[in-house]
Amino acid sequence: METPVTKPSSVLYASLAASPPRIESADGNYLFTDDGASIFDASGGAAVACIGHNNSRVKRAVANQLDKISYCFSPWFSTSAYENLAQYLTASTNGEMEKVFVVGSGAEAVEAALKMARQYYLELPEPQPQRCRFIARDRSYHGNTLGSLSLSGHKARRTPFEPLLSQQFSHVSPCYAYRGKKQGEGDDQYTSRLAQELEDEFQRVGPSKVCGFVAETVAGLTLGGVAATPGYLKAMKEVCDRHGALFILDEAGMGRTGTLHAWEQEGVVPHLQTVAKGLGAGYAAIGALMVHKDVVDVFSKGSKAFVHFQTYHGHPLACAAAYEVQQVIKDEDLVSNCHKMGEYLGRLLSKRLGSHHNVGDVRGRGLLWGVELVKDKATKTPFPAQDKIAPAIHAAGLSKFSISLIPGGGVADGTHGDVMVITPAYNINEADAQLIVEKAALAIEHVLGPARPSRL
Ligand SMILES: Cc1ncc(COP(=O)(O)O)c(C=O)c1O
């Protein structure tokens, strides 16, 4: 659907060589372009628009907030909007997370988490100023600011900026059973091997120097809907606990995986948690850092002040929008729908696409699904990155089948490996799921050809 640029736009598009479709309006699951096309939004943008577009409750809440207070500086003032959202979020964790710091994006939430982790060690009764390292995972993505990109293991996004990135960050293998598990290896053995790898990394960099280990609870857009093996996150937390380091989870979702917080399914509670995308569902630019009571305790007994602020942190309009989004999710029981419709969507995807000769893996949790595309199913050999398979499917989805899907790259080794990610709104029904699967399959077949018998 991209068209060659004819008259110059002042917008810096993703590509200077083509203009993206222009969206004039949106409603529910549909985006409407200026030339009259309607596109089914099976991606919610970047896994964001989780209650669909044009929600009247959220619009009203934002308008009401505009009538009250649209902006004040959070270090000096609080607002009911900020208080209500923070209260709702902490209560949703049964009080495990005790404080909330609202920012404008996922990357900003991650930046705040990194700084809070570092300051935590300065606030301890016996300060540990030597702690300044973080361990994250290969092929992870935590944002595009320099701190969050330093943390990210996504090679393609890091490479141009590598000289600017901090040397205090290192990476271990992701928990990615499809590619990481050895032949014949059970879940437990795989998990133990990854825990040992993390232990080895602590030892390599010096355990007393590590502030924390950071992971996406479910690897979302980069690996494409990869949930950890059972017990993995618990095992990682044990390694952190052994060395007095913080266990930090970066969760975009807010309900997408079938529980409001993805860690609820993992038997772990993080010291710090970041959330973004599903928090405001696209009605406002918002992310948040949630802080466990144990960390808050240390600050309370220490300087009592987090040395961090932003002009727009705790923005009242963003907080009001996000609060209402969360009430819609609760009132309409959408987290249960994520679980129920997620299982249905996954079954349909596997049935429709599982036997395709180029579909290596169909995996996901809740309404976060990934279809990994491979050149050779038996060997799991990826397509070369220069073939741009996922971007071609994304483009075909938009231009030929009127569906928005998320293309992912580099899943095999950071450079090669394609995945299509499907992250629809939490309120889809069975008919929507059927339509998504059929359109996604048609877009994949348009680029890779119809299914033919594979060697497997
Ligand atoms: C897990 C995770 N963390 C952080 C980010 C960065 O969020 P933002 O683009 O809002 O800065 C993303 C975005 O895709 C993400 O998926």
PDB file of all heavy atoms in Angstrom, residues 352-353 356 392-393 396-397 400-403 405 434-450:
ATOM      1  N   ARG A 352      -4.543 -23.589  10.362  1.00  0.00           N
ATOM      2  CA  ARG A 352      -4.504 -22.992   9.013  1.00  0.00           C
ATOM      3  C   ARG A 352      -3.084 -22.913   8.465  1.00  0.00           C
ATOM      4  O   ARG A 352      -2.845 -23.053   7.276  1.00  0.00           O
ATOM      5  CB  ARG A 352      -5.137 -21.593   9.081  1.00  0.00           C
ATOM      6  CG  ARG A 352      -5.146 -20.803   7.777  1.00  0.00           C
ATOM      7  CD  ARG A 352      -6.103 -21.406   6.761  1.00  0.00           C
ATOM      8  NE  ARG A 352      -6.212 -20.571   5.572  1.00  0.00           N
ATOM      9  CZ  ARG A 352      -5.324 -20.546   4.581  1.00  0.00           C
ATOM     10  NH1 ARG A 352      -4.256 -21.340   4.609  1.00  0.00           N
ATOM     11  NH2 ARG A 352      -5.504 -19.740   3.531  1.00  0.00           N
ATOM     12  N   LEU A 353      -2.108 -22.683   9.362  1.00  0.00           N
ATOM     13  CA  LEU A 353      -0.754 -22.393   8.879  1.00  0.00           C
ATOM     14  C   LEU A 353       0.313 -23.386   9.325  1.00  0.00           C
ATOM     15  O   LEU A 353       1.407 -23.410   8.761  1.00  0.00           O
ATOM     16  CB  LEU A 353      -0.337 -20.995   9.367  1.00  0.00           C
ATOM     17  CG  LEU A 353      -0.939 -19.836   8.579  1.00  0.00           C
ATOM     18  CD1 LEU A 353      -0.783 -18.533   9.351  1.00  0.00           C
ATOM     19  CD2 LEU A 353      -0.286 -19.712   7.201  1.00  0.00           C
ATOM     20  N   HIS A 356       2.157 -25.368   6.727  1.00  0.00           N
ATOM     21  CA  HIS A 356       2.791 -24.673   5.592  1.00  0.00           C
ATOM     22  C   HIS A 356       4.300 -24.939   5.615  1.00  0.00           C
ATOM     23  O   HIS A 356       4.928 -24.912   6.685  1.00  0.00           O
ATOM     24  CB  HIS A 356       2.513 -23.169   5.684  1.00  0.00           C
ATOM     25  CG  HIS A 356       2.924 -22.420   4.444  1.00  0.00           C
ATOM     26  ND1 HIS A 356       4.233 -22.090   4.183  1.00  0.00           N
ATOM     27  CD2 HIS A 356       2.202 -21.973   3.387  1.00  0.00           C
ATOM     28  CE1 HIS A 356       4.300 -21.450   3.025  1.00  0.00           C
ATOM     29  NE2 HIS A 356       3.063 -21.371   2.524  1.00  0.00           N
ATOM     30  N   ALA A 392       7.686  -7.966   3.450  1.00  0.00           N
ATOM     31  CA  ALA A 392       6.858  -8.200   2.247  1.00  0.00           C
ATOM     32  C   ALA A 392       5.467  -8.699   2.643  1.00  0.00           C
ATOM     33  O   ALA A 392       4.452  -8.298   2.042  1.00  0.00           O
ATOM     34  CB  ALA A 392       7.546  -9.216   1.333  1.00  0.00           C
ATOM     35  N   ILE A 393       5.398  -9.537   3.656  1.00  0.00           N
ATOM     36  CA  ILE A 393       4.089 -10.038   4.117  1.00  0.00           C
ATOM     37  C   ILE A 393       3.297  -8.900   4.754  1.00  0.00           C
ATOM     38  O   ILE A 393       2.088  -8.756   4.532  1.00  0.00           O
ATOM     39  CB  ILE A 393       4.279 -11.225   5.094  1.00  0.00           C
ATOM     40  CG1 ILE A 393       4.890 -12.400   4.347  1.00  0.00           C
ATOM     41  CG2 ILE A 393       2.939 -11.620   5.735  1.00  0.00           C
ATOM     42  CD1 ILE A 393       5.372 -13.530   5.246  1.00  0.00           C
ATOM     43  N   ALA A 396       2.005  -6.866   1.895  1.00  0.00           N
ATOM     44  CA  ALA A 396       0.901  -7.566   1.201  1.00  0.00           C
ATOM     45  C   ALA A 396      -0.354  -7.541   2.059  1.00  0.00           C
ATOM     46  O   ALA A 396      -1.469  -7.373   1.547  1.00  0.00           O
ATOM     47  CB  ALA A 396       1.315  -9.013   0.893  1.00  0.00           C
ATOM     48  N   GLY A 397      -0.169  -7.707   3.353  1.00  0.00           N
ATOM     49  CA  GLY A 397      -1.325  -7.647   4.258  1.00  0.00           C
ATOM     50  C   GLY A 397      -2.054  -6.330   4.108  1.00  0.00           C
ATOM     51  O   GLY A 397      -3.279  -6.292   3.959  1.00  0.00           O
ATOM     52  N   LYS A 400      -3.088  -5.795  -0.093  1.00  0.00           N
ATOM     53  CA  LYS A 400      -3.934  -6.766  -0.806  1.00  0.00           C
ATOM     54  C   LYS A 400      -5.024  -7.386   0.051  1.00  0.00           C
ATOM     55  O   LYS A 400      -6.050  -7.819  -0.458  1.00  0.00           O
ATOM     56  CB  LYS A 400      -3.060  -7.886  -1.387  1.00  0.00           C
ATOM     57  CG  LYS A 400      -1.976  -7.368  -2.292  1.00  0.00           C
ATOM     58  CD  LYS A 400      -1.572  -8.378  -3.334  1.00  0.00           C
ATOM     59  CE  LYS A 400      -0.571  -7.803  -4.326  1.00  0.00           C
ATOM     60  NZ  LYS A 400      -0.999  -6.587  -5.015  1.00  0.00           N
ATOM     61  N   PHE A 401      -4.773  -7.470   1.357  1.00  0.00           N
ATOM     62  CA  PHE A 401      -5.743  -8.199   2.190  1.00  0.00           C
ATOM     63  C   PHE A 401      -6.314  -7.342   3.327  1.00  0.00           C
ATOM     64  O   PHE A 401      -7.035  -7.851   4.180  1.00  0.00           O
ATOM     65  CB  PHE A 401      -5.090  -9.483   2.727  1.00  0.00           C
ATOM     66  CG  PHE A 401      -4.564 -10.341   1.608  1.00  0.00           C
ATOM     67  CD1 PHE A 401      -3.207 -10.396   1.335  1.00  0.00           C
ATOM     68  CD2 PHE A 401      -5.435 -11.036   0.774  1.00  0.00           C
ATOM     69  CE1 PHE A 401      -2.721 -11.141   0.280  1.00  0.00           C
ATOM     70  CE2 PHE A 401      -4.956 -11.793  -0.294  1.00  0.00           C
ATOM     71  CZ  PHE A 401      -3.589 -11.838  -0.547  1.00  0.00           C
ATOM     72  N   SER A 402      -5.967  -6.065   3.302  1.00  0.00           N
ATOM     73  CA  SER A 402      -6.547  -5.098   4.246  1.00  0.00           C
ATOM     74  C   SER A 402      -6.403  -5.539   5.705  1.00  0.00           C
ATOM     75  O   SER A 402      -7.363  -5.504   6.478  1.00  0.00           O
ATOM     76  CB  SER A 402      -8.034  -4.873   3.940  1.00  0.00           C
ATOM     77  OG  SER A 402      -8.178  -4.453   2.627  1.00  0.00           O
ATOM     78  N   ILE A 403      -5.201  -5.964   6.042  1.00  0.00           N
ATOM     79  CA  ILE A 403      -4.946  -6.337   7.438  1.00  0.00           C
ATOM     80  C   ILE A 403      -3.587  -5.805   7.880  1.00  0.00           C
ATOM     81  O   ILE A 403      -2.623  -5.806   7.100  1.00  0.00           O
ATOM     82  CB  ILE A 403      -5.024  -7.877   7.644  1.00  0.00           C
ATOM     83  CG1 ILE A 403      -4.951  -8.177   9.150  1.00  0.00           C
ATOM     84  CG2 ILE A 403      -3.933  -8.616   6.866  1.00  0.00           C
ATOM     85  CD1 ILE A 403      -5.459  -9.542   9.510  1.00  0.00           C
ATOM     86  N   LEU A 405      -0.487  -6.412  10.238  1.00  0.00           N
ATOM     87  CA  LEU A 405       0.239  -7.411  11.047  1.00  0.00           C
ATOM     88  C   LEU A 405       1.603  -6.802  11.381  1.00  0.00           C
ATOM     89  O   LEU A 405       2.062  -5.897  10.683  1.00  0.00           O
ATOM     90  CB  LEU A 405       0.461  -8.693  10.233  1.00  0.00           C
ATOM     91  CG  LEU A 405      -0.779  -9.325   9.599  1.00  0.00           C
ATOM     92  CD1 LEU A 405      -0.376 -10.309   8.499  1.00  0.00           C
ATOM     93  CD2 LEU A 405      -1.594 -10.035  10.670  1.00  0.00           C
ATOM     94  N   GLN A 434     -11.336 -15.527  13.189  1.00  0.00           N
ATOM     95  CA  GLN A 434     -11.349 -16.268  11.914  1.00  0.00           C
ATOM     96  C   GLN A 434     -10.871 -15.368  10.771  1.00  0.00           C
ATOM     97  O   GLN A 434     -10.095 -15.784   9.915  1.00  0.00           O
ATOM     98  CB  GLN A 434     -12.769 -16.772  11.625  1.00  0.00           C
ATOM     99  CG  GLN A 434     -13.199 -17.905  12.554  1.00  0.00           C
ATOM    100  CD  GLN A 434     -14.708 -18.089  12.595  1.00  0.00           C
ATOM    101  OE1 GLN A 434     -15.442 -17.599  11.736  1.00  0.00           O
ATOM    102  NE2 GLN A 434     -15.191 -18.769  13.624  1.00  0.00           N
ATOM    103  N   LEU A 435     -11.352 -14.129  10.792  1.00  0.00           N
ATOM    104  CA  LEU A 435     -10.973 -13.190   9.732  1.00  0.00           C
ATOM    105  C   LEU A 435      -9.468 -12.893   9.784  1.00  0.00           C
ATOM    106  O   LEU A 435      -8.783 -12.870   8.763  1.00  0.00           O
ATOM    107  CB  LEU A 435     -11.796 -11.909   9.931  1.00  0.00           C
ATOM    108  CG  LEU A 435     -11.640 -10.809   8.910  1.00  0.00           C
ATOM    109  CD1 LEU A 435     -13.018 -10.254   8.543  1.00  0.00           C
ATOM    110  CD2 LEU A 435     -10.772  -9.688   9.451  1.00  0.00           C
ATOM    111  N   ILE A 436      -8.955 -12.701  11.006  1.00  0.00           N
ATOM    112  CA  ILE A 436      -7.519 -12.421  11.162  1.00  0.00           C
ATOM    113  C   ILE A 436      -6.691 -13.568  10.590  1.00  0.00           C
ATOM    114  O   ILE A 436      -5.747 -13.375   9.823  1.00  0.00           O
ATOM    115  CB  ILE A 436      -7.163 -12.223  12.661  1.00  0.00           C
ATOM    116  CG1 ILE A 436      -7.778 -10.933  13.192  1.00  0.00           C
ATOM    117  CG2 ILE A 436      -5.653 -12.235  12.877  1.00  0.00           C
ATOM    118  CD1 ILE A 436      -7.727 -10.804  14.721  1.00  0.00           C
ATOM    119  N   VAL A 437      -7.057 -14.791  10.958  1.00  0.00           N
ATOM    120  CA  VAL A 437      -6.259 -15.949  10.545  1.00  0.00           C
ATOM    121  C   VAL A 437      -6.317 -16.112   9.023  1.00  0.00           C
ATOM    122  O   VAL A 437      -5.288 -16.335   8.366  1.00  0.00           O
ATOM    123  CB  VAL A 437      -6.745 -17.230  11.267  1.00  0.00           C
ATOM    124  CG1 VAL A 437      -6.073 -18.468  10.693  1.00  0.00           C
ATOM    125  CG2 VAL A 437      -6.464 -17.101  12.769  1.00  0.00           C
ATOM    126  N   GLU A 438      -7.502 -15.949   8.443  1.00  0.00           N
ATOM    127  CA  GLU A 438      -7.614 -16.128   6.999  1.00  0.00           C
ATOM    128  C   GLU A 438      -6.804 -15.056   6.265  1.00  0.00           C
ATOM    129  O   GLU A 438      -6.050 -15.352   5.338  1.00  0.00           O
ATOM    130  CB  GLU A 438      -9.099 -16.093   6.584  1.00  0.00           C
ATOM    131  CG  GLU A 438      -9.361 -16.541   5.164  1.00  0.00           C
ATOM    132  CD  GLU A 438      -8.714 -17.886   4.798  1.00  0.00           C
ATOM    133  OE1 GLU A 438      -8.547 -18.757   5.676  1.00  0.00           O
ATOM    134  OE2 GLU A 438      -8.354 -18.050   3.608  1.00  0.00           O
ATOM    135  N   LYS A 439      -6.932 -13.821   6.696  1.00  0.00           N
ATOM    136  CA  LYS A 439      -6.209 -12.732   6.022  1.00  0.00           C
ATOM    137  C   LYS A 439      -4.694 -12.882   6.216  1.00  0.00           C
ATOM    138  O   LYS A 439      -3.919 -12.649   5.285  1.00  0.00           O
ATOM    139  CB  LYS A 439      -6.677 -11.369   6.556  1.00  0.00           C
ATOM    140  CG  LYS A 439      -8.031 -10.918   5.966  1.00  0.00           C
ATOM    141  CD  LYS A 439      -8.445  -9.589   6.593  1.00  0.00           C
ATOM    142  CE  LYS A 439      -9.750  -9.054   6.012  1.00  0.00           C
ATOM    143  NZ  LYS A 439      -9.612  -8.494   4.659  1.00  0.00           N
ATOM    144  N   ALA A 440      -4.288 -13.252   7.429  1.00  0.00           N
ATOM    145  CA  ALA A 440      -2.847 -13.436   7.690  1.00  0.00           C
ATOM    146  C   ALA A 440      -2.312 -14.572   6.812  1.00  0.00           C
ATOM    147  O   ALA A 440      -1.228 -14.462   6.216  1.00  0.00           O
ATOM    148  CB  ALA A 440      -2.612 -13.750   9.165  1.00  0.00           C
ATOM    149  N   ALA A 441      -3.083 -15.644   6.712  1.00  0.00           N
ATOM    150  CA  ALA A 441      -2.647 -16.791   5.905  1.00  0.00           C
ATOM    151  C   ALA A 441      -2.544 -16.386   4.435  1.00  0.00           C
ATOM    152  O   ALA A 441      -1.578 -16.747   3.741  1.00  0.00           O
ATOM    153  CB  ALA A 441      -3.628 -17.945   6.090  1.00  0.00           C
ATOM    154  N   LEU A 442      -3.507 -15.615   3.953  1.00  0.00           N
ATOM    155  CA  LEU A 442      -3.481 -15.190   2.547  1.00  0.00           C
ATOM    156  C   LEU A 442      -2.260 -14.303   2.286  1.00  0.00           C
ATOM    157  O   LEU A 442      -1.611 -14.424   1.233  1.00  0.00           O
ATOM    158  CB  LEU A 442      -4.775 -14.446   2.190  1.00  0.00           C
ATOM    159  CG  LEU A 442      -6.033 -15.329   2.113  1.00  0.00           C
ATOM    160  CD1 LEU A 442      -7.295 -14.481   1.956  1.00  0.00           C
ATOM    161  CD2 LEU A 442      -5.929 -16.343   0.968  1.00  0.00           C
ATOM    162  N   ALA A 443      -1.937 -13.435   3.238  1.00  0.00           N
ATOM    163  CA  ALA A 443      -0.772 -12.555   3.060  1.00  0.00           C
ATOM    164  C   ALA A 443       0.515 -13.388   3.040  1.00  0.00           C
ATOM    165  O   ALA A 443       1.418 -13.152   2.229  1.00  0.00           O
ATOM    166  CB  ALA A 443      -0.724 -11.520   4.181  1.00  0.00           C
ATOM    167  N   ILE A 444       0.594 -14.381   3.918  1.00  0.00           N
ATOM    168  CA  ILE A 444       1.788 -15.250   3.954  1.00  0.00           C
ATOM    169  C   ILE A 444       1.883 -16.051   2.647  1.00  0.00           C
ATOM    170  O   ILE A 444       2.947 -16.140   2.026  1.00  0.00           O
ATOM    171  CB  ILE A 444       1.736 -16.171   5.202  1.00  0.00           C
ATOM    172  CG1 ILE A 444       1.990 -15.321   6.461  1.00  0.00           C
ATOM    173  CG2 ILE A 444       2.718 -17.319   5.099  1.00  0.00           C
ATOM    174  CD1 ILE A 444       1.747 -16.043   7.783  1.00  0.00           C
ATOM    175  N   GLU A 445       0.753 -16.608   2.221  1.00  0.00           N
ATOM    176  CA  GLU A 445       0.769 -17.412   0.985  1.00  0.00           C
ATOM    177  C   GLU A 445       1.047 -16.538  -0.239  1.00  0.00           C
ATOM    178  O   GLU A 445       1.640 -17.001  -1.216  1.00  0.00           O
ATOM    179  CB  GLU A 445      -0.578 -18.128   0.832  1.00  0.00           C
ATOM    180  CG  GLU A 445      -0.731 -19.269   1.848  1.00  0.00           C
ATOM    181  CD  GLU A 445      -2.148 -19.821   1.942  1.00  0.00           C
ATOM    182  OE1 GLU A 445      -3.068 -19.247   1.319  1.00  0.00           O
ATOM    183  OE2 GLU A 445      -2.330 -20.815   2.654  1.00  0.00           O
ATOM    184  N   HIS A 446       0.635 -15.291  -0.189  1.00  0.00           N
ATOM    185  CA  HIS A 446       0.894 -14.387  -1.314  1.00  0.00           C
ATOM    186  C   HIS A 446       2.406 -14.243  -1.523  1.00  0.00           C
ATOM    187  O   HIS A 446       2.881 -14.186  -2.650  1.00  0.00           O
ATOM    188  CB  HIS A 446       0.266 -13.017  -1.028  1.00  0.00           C
ATOM    189  CG  HIS A 446       0.501 -12.021  -2.109  1.00  0.00           C
ATOM    190  ND1 HIS A 446      -0.251 -11.988  -3.266  1.00  0.00           N
ATOM    191  CD2 HIS A 446       1.431 -11.026  -2.225  1.00  0.00           C
ATOM    192  CE1 HIS A 446       0.189 -11.017  -4.043  1.00  0.00           C
ATOM    193  NE2 HIS A 446       1.217 -10.417  -3.436  1.00  0.00           N
ATOM    194  N   VAL A 447       3.148 -14.199  -0.439  1.00  0.00           N
ATOM    195  CA  VAL A 447       4.596 -14.007  -0.539  1.00  0.00           C
ATOM    196  C   VAL A 447       5.334 -15.343  -0.681  1.00  0.00           C
ATOM    197  O   VAL A 447       6.293 -15.464  -1.455  1.00  0.00           O
ATOM    198  CB  VAL A 447       5.114 -13.229   0.699  1.00  0.00           C
ATOM    199  CG1 VAL A 447       6.631 -13.167   0.735  1.00  0.00           C
ATOM    200  CG2 VAL A 447       4.514 -11.817   0.712  1.00  0.00           C
ATOM    201  N   LEU A 448       4.891 -16.352   0.026  1.00  0.00           N
ATOM    202  CA  LEU A 448       5.654 -17.612   0.078  1.00  0.00           C
ATOM    203  C   LEU A 448       5.015 -18.750  -0.724  1.00  0.00           C
ATOM    204  O   LEU A 448       5.562 -19.844  -0.791  1.00  0.00           O
ATOM    205  CB  LEU A 448       5.817 -18.039   1.537  1.00  0.00           C
ATOM    206  CG  LEU A 448       6.651 -17.083   2.393  1.00  0.00           C
ATOM    207  CD1 LEU A 448       6.594 -17.470   3.861  1.00  0.00           C
ATOM    208  CD2 LEU A 448       8.093 -17.036   1.916  1.00  0.00           C
ATOM    209  N   GLY A 449       3.866 -18.500  -1.302  1.00  0.00           N
ATOM    210  CA  GLY A 449       3.175 -19.538  -2.066  1.00  0.00           C
ATOM    211  C   GLY A 449       2.287 -20.376  -1.162  1.00  0.00           C
ATOM    212  O   GLY A 449       2.459 -20.376   0.059  1.00  0.00           O
ATOM    213  N   PRO A 450       1.332 -21.096  -1.781  1.00  0.00           N
ATOM    214  CA  PRO A 450       0.438 -21.925  -0.979  1.00  0.00           C
ATOM    215  C   PRO A 450       1.191 -23.084  -0.326  1.00  0.00           C
ATOM    216  O   PRO A 450       2.285 -23.445  -0.778  1.00  0.00           O
ATOM    217  CB  PRO A 450      -0.582 -22.447  -1.997  1.00  0.00           C
ATOM    218  CG  PRO A 450       0.033 -22.234  -3.338  1.00  0.00           C
ATOM    219  CD  PRO A 450       1.061 -21.146  -3.210  1.00  0.00           C
TER     220      PRO A 450
END
